[in-house]
C-alpha cells in the first residue's frame, strides 16, 4: 500500500481553465468544492497539473483574445492563492514545495496560415506555454484532428510538418491527443521527441476514435513515450451517462496500456472539468487516493502505483527537458 500522504500525483490534462472566463469565476477556483478541481484541493493532492487552454473559436483573433483573458485570470487566481507555480523548465518537474502548473494548448487553431507560425509560437512560449496539442477533434491548418476518419483523414499538412520541426526545436512538448490516425503516424515518424498523448484510453477495450490502438500504444512505448489514461466515460466504456464507468474500468485501461506500452509509459490525464460525468467512485482531484487503492487491489505493487500516479510523468518530463537542452 503506497503512503498516501507522500503520493506525488501528476496529471497531464484538465479543462479547469475553461471555467476561468471571468475574473469572478477565476476567484471561484480559490474556494474548495468548486467543480472537479480547485486550487485548495489541487495543492493538497497534486504535485504537477497540466492546465489545457481549449481555444476553439470562430477566428484566430477571437482565440487569441480568449487565451489572453484566461491567462490573465489564471495569473490573478494563482497569485491570490499562493502555493502554485508555473513549470517553465522541464528539468524542474517535481522539484520544490509548490504545486506546478504546466500551461498547454489543446488545438492550435489560433495559428493562422496567413501570418506564419513563428511569431505566434514565440508568443505562446513567452506567455508560459510549454505543451502544445496540435489538434482538438476538428481539422486545422496543421492537419487532421480525430474527427477525420477513413478517406477524409489526410493527415498533416506541409505546414503541420514544418510546425512540428520548429516547435520541437523551441523546446515544446508536442501532444498527439486528438490527432487523427494519419496525423498521429506522420507526427510519430517526424518527431525526435518520444510520443506524448496527454489524455486517451485503449481502443481494444473501447473502440472510440480518440483511443489508441495497440499498434499506437506499442509505438508510444518503444519511443520512450508516455500516455495519460483519461477518466472520460466515453473513452472508458463508450457512454457518457452517469455511472457508465467505474474505477475498475480505469484500472482495466491502465493495466492494458501497461501491458502493451510498458509500466514506465503510463500515467494520468484526467480530463477533470472537461467531462460532465466521472467514473463512479471519483468525484474530483481528491479521489486520486481511491484510484491508488483500486490499483493496489488489482495487484500493482506500491512502487508501480506511485509511478502510475505521478512518478512516470515527472520522469518523462525531466528527461524531455534534459534532451532538449543537449
Ligand atoms: Zn481533450
Amino acid at each position: 500500500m503506497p503512503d498516501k500522504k507522500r503520493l506525488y500525483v501528476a496529471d497531464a490534462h484538465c479543462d479547469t481553465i475553461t471555467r476561468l472566463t471571468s475574473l469572478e469565476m477565476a476567484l471561484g477556483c480559490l474556494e474548495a468544492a468548486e467543480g472537479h478541481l480547485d486550487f485548495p484541493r489541487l495543492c493538497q493532492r497534486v504535485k504537477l497539473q497540466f492546465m489545457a487552454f481549449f481555444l476553439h473559436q470562430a477566428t484566430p483573433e477571437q482565440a487569441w483574445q480568449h487565451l489572453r483573458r484566461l491567462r490573465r485570470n489564471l495569473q490573478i487566481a494563482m497569485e491570490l492563492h499562493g502555493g502554485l507555480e508555473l513549470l517553465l523548465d522541464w528539468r524542474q518537474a517535481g522539484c520544490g514545495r509548490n504545486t506546478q502548473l504546466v500551461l498547454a494548448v489543446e488545438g492550435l487553431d489560433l495559428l493562422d496560415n496567413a501570418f506564419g507560425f513563428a511569431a505566434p509560437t514565440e508568443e505562446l512560449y513567452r506567455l508560459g506555454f510549454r505543451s502544445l496539442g496540435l489538434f482538438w477533434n476538428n481539422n486545422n491548418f496543421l492537419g487532421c484532428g480525430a474527427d477525420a476518419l477513413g478517406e477524409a483523414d489526410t493527415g498533416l499538412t506541409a505546414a503541420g510538418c514544418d510546425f512540428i520541426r520548429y516547435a520541437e526545436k523551441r523546446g515544446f512538448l508536442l501532444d498527439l491527443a486528438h490527432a487523427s490516425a494519419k496525423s498521429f503516424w506522420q507526427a510519430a515518424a517526424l518527431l525526435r521527441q518520444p510520443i506524448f498523448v496527454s489524455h486517451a484510453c485503449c481502443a481494444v477495450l473501447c473502440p472510440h476514435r480518440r483511443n489508441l490502438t495497440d499498434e499506437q500504444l506499442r509505438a508510444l512505448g518503444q519511443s520512450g513515450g508516455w500516455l495519460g489514461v483519461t477518466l472520460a466515460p466515453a473513452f472508458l466504456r463508450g457512454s457518457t451517462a452517469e455511472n457508465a464507468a467505474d474505477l475498475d474500468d480505469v484500472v482495466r485501461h491502465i493495466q492494458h496500456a501497461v501491458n502493451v506500452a510498458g509500466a514506465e509509459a503510463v500515467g494520468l490525464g484526467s480530463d477533470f472539468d472537461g467531462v460532465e460525468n466521472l467514473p463512479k467512485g471519483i468525484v474530483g482531484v481528491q479521489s486520486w487516493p481511491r484510484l491508488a487503492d483500486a490499483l493496489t487491489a488489482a495487484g500493482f505493487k506500491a512502487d508501480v502505483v506511485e509511478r502510475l500516479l505521478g512518478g512516470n510523468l515527472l520522469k518523462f518530463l525531466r528527461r524531455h527537458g534534459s534532451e532538449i537542452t543537449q
Side-chain angles (χ1 to χ4, degrees), residues 43 46-48 82-85 94-100:
C43 287
V46 175
K47 186 68 194 159
L48 180 144
L84 295 157
E85 66 184 33
C95 298
R97 295 171 135 256
N98 288 336
T99 292
Q100 297 174 319

Side-chain angles (χ1 to χ4, degrees), residues 32-251:
E34 180 84 12
H36 297 155
L37 180 163
D38 51 57
F39 291 166
R41 277 185 282 162
L42 187 72
C43 287
Q44 259 174 22
R45 289 288 183 205
V46 175
K47 186 68 194 159
L48 180 144
Q49 178 70 55
F50 277 55
M51 291 283 192
F53 284 58
F54 176 71
L55 305 168
H56 192 52
Q57 302 280 321
T59 66
E61 293 73 37
Q62 285 172 4
W64 277 103
Q65 267 176 17
H66 190 57
L67 175 144
R68 289 182 196 286
R69 186 180 320 122
L70 296 174
R71 179 70 184 84
R72 190 182 56 231
N73 290 343
L74 173 68
Q75 192 66 34
I76 294 167
M78 276 178 71
E79 282 169 17
L80 286 173
H81 186 266
L84 295 157
E85 66 184 33
L86 293 187
L87 180 66
L88 298 173
D89 180 342
W90 295 115
R91 292 168 298 179
Q92 300 297 316
C95 298
R97 295 171 135 256
N98 288 336
T99 292
Q100 297 174 319
L101 304 182
V102 175
L103 301 192
V105 175
E106 182 168 31
L108 284 165
D109 298 3
L110 78 181
L111 296 186
D112 190 331
N113 209 0
F115 301 105
F117 50 69
T121 309
E122 286 306 309
E123 180 64 358
L124 288 173
Y125 196 90
R126 195 190 66 76
L127 289 166
F129 289 85
R130 291 296 180 270
S131 173
L132 301 178
L134 278 72
F135 308 104
W136 186 59
N137 291 330
N138 58 294
N139 297 347
N140 60 26
F141 106 96
L142 302 176
C144 288
D147 279 345
L149 300 170
E151 296 210 337
D153 182 5
T154 50
L156 299 174
T157 60
C161 297
D162 288 347
F163 174 79
I164 285 177
R165 293 189 195 96
Y166 177 85
E168 194 163 45
K169 260 195 216 129
R170 194 65 185 85
F172 285 102
L173 182 61
L174 297 180
D175 182 359
L176 298 186
H178 287 279
S180 72
K182 199 165 175 193
S183 294
F184 175 97
W185 287 113
Q186 286 179 326
L190 266 175
L191 284 169
R192 296 180 56 193
Q193 59 183 246
I195 300 169
F196 172 72
V197 176
S198 63
H199 59 303
C201 291
C202 305
V204 72
L205 300 181
C206 177
H208 191 285
R209 71 198 190 297
R210 279 273 290 104
N211 285 344
L212 300 185
T213 63
D214 280 2
E215 207 183 351
Q216 289 174 313
L217 285 171
R218 223 167 280 125
L220 178 144
Q222 281 164 5
S223 76
W226 185 91
L227 162 71
V229 170
T230 188
L231 304 178
F235 305 173
L236 292 164
R237 285 300 289 252
S239 164
T240 55
E242 205 175 345
N243 295 337
D246 59 20
L247 270 173
D248 288 344
D249 294 311
V250 184
V251 172

Side-chain angles (χ1 to χ4, degrees), residues 239-309:
S239 164
T240 55
E242 205 175 345
N243 295 337
D246 59 20
L247 270 173
D248 288 344
D249 294 311
V250 184
V251 172
R252 270 188 319 122
H253 279 268
I254 290 177
Q255 177 80 67
H256 184 78
V258 164
N259 290 347
V260 181
E264 299 255 304
V266 182
L268 309 173
S270 69
D271 217 355
F272 280 141
D273 290 321
V275 286
E276 202 163 323
N277 293 312
L278 290 169
K280 203 171 163 215
I282 299 184
V283 292
V285 73
Q286 67 270 40
S287 307
W288 288 132
R290 297 197 65 179
L291 178 61
D293 289 344
L295 289 165
T296 305
F300 286 98
K301 295 207 174 78
D303 62 315
V304 180
V305 173
E306 283 177 16
R307 275 157 43 200
L308 292 169
L309 263 84

